[in-house]
Amino acid sequence: AGKKTTADFLVKKFRMCKVDADAWIKTVAGDKSSSIGDAVREFYSENSENQPLPDDLVVRCVADRLSRMDCQTKGWVLYNFPKNYQQAEAINMLGNRPNRVVLLDFPLEGVMERLSNRRVDPVTGKRYNLLWTAPESKEIADRLLQAPCDKKELLETQFSEYEKCIS
């Protein structure tokens, strides 16, 4: 099980709010009445969507979500955040401290194997892992795509940066 599955389990067990930072940023970007949404849209209009959103905007988005009444009353399970030490420090400075932290610690080899074998069918949107969920036909297999973020070289770089942050 990965972070989403674990988050879903914790949310159900403890009846908390699930806060997926990446999904929330997309929600904020679509909100035409939000100043944070305006800032996110402005960033993406001036930059490629492949560029990461600056930490200050990510933190503002997450802090906005955590300040909402449901999160304040029920508590929250936050995932896809923080992505670096600076984001963790910034959200902490805003007073959004978790009272529990779950660290999913997986061996690099297992993570690399799982992520580097992920594929998506651009026609149906169905997701595959070449090791565990083989495509139903050669036609489907031939059209599967790998996301740039799942390339082995990028994953190795990200894992190295992660290791530096938690050491």
Side-chain angles (χ1 to χ4, degrees):
K3 60 189 174 191
K4 181 183 181 306
T5 304
T6 303
D8 289 342
F9 170 78
L10 293 171
V11 163
K12 185 176 180 182
K13 181 167 179 67
F14 298 108
R15 298 184 188 143
M16 302 170 92
C17 296
K18 180 172 83 172
V19 179
D20 174 351
D22 293 341
W24 182 250
I25 289 167
K26 290 176 185 171
T27 300
V28 168
D31 183 357
K32 305 274 193 236
S33 65
S34 158
S35 64
I36 301 170
D38 292 342
V40 171
R41 282 190 306 281
E42 181 180 339
F43 173 81
Y44 283 131
S45 72
E46 296 173 359
N47 299 281
S48 162
E49 288 217 21
N50 292 333
Q51 287 190 324
L53 199 60
D55 288 344
D56 64 315
L57 283 177
V58 173
V59 170
R60 284 176 58 198
C61 289
V62 171
D64 172 67
R65 179 65 184 101
L66 298 181
S67 71
R68 306 250 171 150
M69 186 59 71
D70 60 341
C71 285
Q72 292 293 309
T73 57
K74 292 169 46 177
W76 39 267
V77 174
L78 174 63
Y79 70 102
N80 287 326
F81 182 91
K83 297 203 178 186
N84 59 48
Y85 182 78
Q86 292 77 15
Q87 289 179 359
E89 281 294 308
I91 201 76
N92 188 35
M93 297 292 283
L94 293 173
N96 291 300
R97 285 189 164 149
N99 61 8
R100 304 280 189 284
V101 174
V102 176
L103 174 64
L104 303 178
D105 190 19
F106 297 104
L108 173 61
E109 300 78 34
V111 173
M112 294 294 286
E113 181 178 65
R114 181 173 184 221
L115 296 179
S116 65
N117 282 290
R118 292 194 302 191
R119 301 293 187 276
V120 67
D121 182 343
V123 174
T124 66
K126 185 173 178 182
R127 297 180 181 275
Y128 294 89
N129 186 298
L130 299 179
L131 299 174
W132 305 307
T133 51
E136 295 84 359
S137 69
K138 179 164 177 16
E139 177 187 354
I140 293 172
D142 289 344
R143 69 180 184 229
L144 294 181
L145 301 175
Q146 182 180 35
C149 62
D150 288 343
K151 302 277 186 199
K152 192 172 185 175
E153 300 76 27
L154 179 62
L155 293 170
E156 288 170 345
T157 301
Q158 289 175 329
F159 196 82
S160 174
E161 290 173 15
Y162 169 77
E163 287 289 314
K164 288 178 198 169
C165 287
I166 64 166
S167 313

